[in-house]
Amino acid sequence: MTAEGLLRTLRQDLRDGGLFGSFLVRDLHTGDEVGIEPDIELPVASLVKLPLAIATLERVRRGELAGDRALEVRPGRITRPGPTGLTRFRHPARVAVDDLLYLATSLSDNTAADALFGLTPPARVDAMLGELGLTGIAVRHTMDELTDTPVERLRTQEAHLAHSLAIDAGTVGRGHRLPQLDVTRANTGTARAFTDLLQALWTPSAVHPEVTARLRTLMGDNVMRHRLAPDFSSDSSSWSSKTATLLNLRHEVGVVQHADGAVYAVAALTESRVPAATQPGAEALMAQVARELRDHLRHG
């Protein structure tokens, strides 16, 4: 199938499944790439933890922060399904910066991430991205602001109402009545920008090798394996990634490394048009689309 025919088919598959998708897959050896709407700006939710990790690790490398410095972290005390790590703790804990990085990146722990944002605020993280030549990602706020959405005020069985608001309250210019989904106020990025970030982590770049090595390890230890991992993990390939979920947003960005040496960066950012909190079909569809784009690059 030609690239045009494949993209036409995949766009229709996404529409049929109730998804809007922004995808990009890039061969990190050749630079060849294929994508669907890769330059659409979207709120990135927990994907912002990758820039946060880069900034934190770079400051540790420079000696501005100590990796073994222990911080007193207040518990998140969130009991609804979903959040992980310190976000679910009921009592204060002392945790080292290095371990907060693991919790924030590999477990997507919002409370751990906000402890790191306390050391390196969003504006500083955003500026450091610019210093490293990583453009197209805007870091504007901490993770705490993501917890104040309608879904936190509704009973679990009413979650579909929050998703209906997320779907219907947007504007043509990608503004939104919910600030977490408004691209002028949220942390935002594009599939292309995150593919560029992945390339900077897996190939020589302005990001220091000590930083890239540590962050590749953290992404390889990602415990969230339900989205793209089933389509990219095997005995002959490894998948290192970061996921993000917020209301009707489902994202994942990562790198698949094959035993034969091939390496592909994959960015999948999606919005669901289906008002439901649990959508295994959407998870499978976004993985299928990402896999077919990768297969097109790998096999032609």
Side-chain angles (χ1 to χ4, degrees):
M1 185 183 296
T2 65
E4 293 78 8
L6 173 66
L7 296 180
R8 186 165 51 249
T9 297
L10 294 180
R11 286 191 179 99
Q12 187 60 54
D13 289 343
L14 289 167
R15 284 193 294 269
D16 292 345
L19 285 183
F20 166 77
S22 176
F23 293 79
L24 189 64
V25 179
R26 180 181 298 163
D27 184 327
L28 293 185
H29 289 323
T30 68
D32 293 341
E33 62 182 34
V34 61
I36 298 171
E37 307 290 355
D39 298 304
I40 296 292
E41 186 179 27
L42 289 168
V44 297
S46 285
L47 294 186
V48 78
K49 293 165 186 171
L50 292 179
L52 172 62
I54 290 173
T56 303
L57 287 164
E58 175 61 18
R59 293 192 66 204
V60 170
R61 186 190 71 81
R62 294 175 185 177
E64 298 174 7
L65 296 174
D68 62 355
R69 174 183 171 185
L71 302 181
E72 182 86 10
V73 182
R74 296 179 61 187
R77 292 180 178 154
I78 291 179
T79 58
R80 63 180 174 80
T84 59
L86 296 168
T87 304
R88 302 191 75 84
F89 275 31
R90 298 187 177 193
H91 307 285
R94 288 184 61 79
V95 187
V97 168
D98 276 340
D99 296 324
L100 289 169
L101 276 165
Y102 166 70
L103 291 170
T105 307
S106 302
L107 274 68
S108 204
D109 182 341
N110 287 350
T111 297
D114 276 345
L116 295 175
F117 269 129
L119 300 174
T120 309
R124 179 78 186 278
V125 174
D126 193 71
M128 291 182 73
L129 287 182
E131 293 169 13
L132 295 169
L134 298 172
T135 61
I137 299 170
V139 183
R140 298 185 174 105
H141 61 73
T142 64
M143 303 307 300
D144 182 62
E145 297 185 38
L146 295 181
T147 65
D148 186 22
T149 71
V151 77
E152 279 76 37
R153 303 180 195 133
L154 296 169
R155 294 177 298 172
T156 300
Q157 58 268 37
E158 296 174 326
H160 66 282
L161 299 175
H163 286 259
S164 294
L165 178 61
I167 293 165
D168 296 333
T171 68
V172 174
R174 305 202 70 77
H176 207 283
R177 287 169 58 190
L178 300 179
Q180 299 90 342
L181 300 180
D182 185 330
V183 296
T184 67
R185 293 183 283 176
N187 297 324
T188 61
T190 66
R192 186 176 304 281
F194 276 94
T195 300
D196 291 342
L197 184 150
L198 294 171
Q199 181 166 343
L201 296 178
W202 261 263
T203 65
S205 71
V207 186
H208 195 278
E210 291 179 17
V211 173
T212 61
R214 174 69 172 143
L215 191 44
R216 288 197 303 269
T217 297
L218 290 170
M219 293 176 67
D221 290 338
N222 181 16
V223 302
M224 308 299 176
R225 312 293 291 180
H226 64 292
R227 193 160 286 165
L228 301 191
D231 277 73
F232 288 106
S233 298
S234 72
D235 287 348
S236 60
S237 65
S238 63
W239 175 245
S240 304
S241 72
K242 180 73 192 75
T243 60
T245 307
L246 176 67
L247 292 170
N248 65 324
L249 301 179
R250 288 170 176 79
H251 306 329
E252 186 161 0
V253 301
V255 171
V256 57
Q257 298 173 268
H258 296 277
D260 63 6
V263 185
Y264 298 89
V266 180
L269 281 60
T270 72
E271 291 178 332
S272 175
R273 305 298 299 175
V274 178
T278 303
Q279 297 185 47
E283 314 278 0
L285 178 57
M286 63 187 291
Q288 173 195 330
V289 170
R291 172 70 178 267
E292 292 197 33
L293 292 172
R294 192 289 312 271
D295 287 351
H296 178 78
L297 279 186
R298 185 162 168 79
H299 305 299

